[in-house]
Amino acid sequence: YRMIFSWFLTKMVDKYVAVQEETKKIMREMYGITKKIEFIPLGTDEHIFRFDKRSRVFIRKKYKIPTLDFVIIYTGKIIPSKGIEILFRSFNLLCKKHKDFWLILVGDGTEEYKDECLSLLEEEFRSKIVWTGFQENNNLYQYYSIADVAVWPLQESTGMNDAASCGLPFIANDTIGTQVRISNNNALLYRKSDSKDLADKIEILYKNPKLRKKMGIKGRELVEEKLSWNKISQRYLTF
């Protein structure tokens, strides 16, 4: 690729687009592309993804989650590479200290891996786990609306943009590559794979509702200013 296609494409291509900052480095170092690289992140639809109070009430009633209880949400595939077991270890620690925590997981996974994750919880806390299975993209805003914080323990996700658009603060690990997603003080970072530190970061937001609200507002602002598909499409048009 470096010897033939990279040279050929450089002659023909007007712009290369990297959707993550780290991708630019990979394109340079691994593929020998040194020019014409533009970073344009993936975005979200701010009209679809918005906070909806009625959904918050309805979905919480559906899963019998008390109005004032604290809900953590994860969306995406329920697979080991996503680090769901890290989140479960953190949740177990939190439930030992607080009785009003819930964890809702939106996405599909094998029963074997789900059972492995559940085995990390004390039995009395397992009733605080909600598995919704796969949900259509256009319905995800309803689930973000019921939550107080979103968490992605390992891999990054475009769900971070969707959560921010819904006014929901999120937590990612401290090796996150797409820095623009956390560029408006709308997220917290924890030490990668450290379940105790993740629990500590969740607890910060649990104890500080004003901070949660402020971060949520900042997340929505970030989407409207930089991460909406409308804004991103304008950057393509400026090529």
Side-chain angles (χ1 to χ4, degrees), residues 85 87-99 101 115-129:
E85 72 279 0
L87 179 54
F88 269 73
R89 290 191 180 96
S90 299
F91 187 72
N92 194 63
L93 293 172
L94 291 164
C95 286
K96 289 180 179 180
K97 300 171 65 176
H98 309 285
K99 303 301 181 183
F101 269 82
D115 289 342
E116 179 184 336
C117 291
L118 283 172
S119 71
L120 301 172
L121 298 180
E122 295 184 22
E123 190 169 350
E124 62 183 298
F125 305 145
R126 296 178 187 178
S127 61
K128 297 294 191 75
I129 302 295

Side-chain angles (χ1 to χ4, degrees), residues 6 37 65 101 113 132 134 159 194 208 211:
S6 176
I37 303 175
I65 301 173
F101 269 82
Y113 185 56
T132 73
F134 172 80
D194 186 337
N208 293 274
L211 177 61

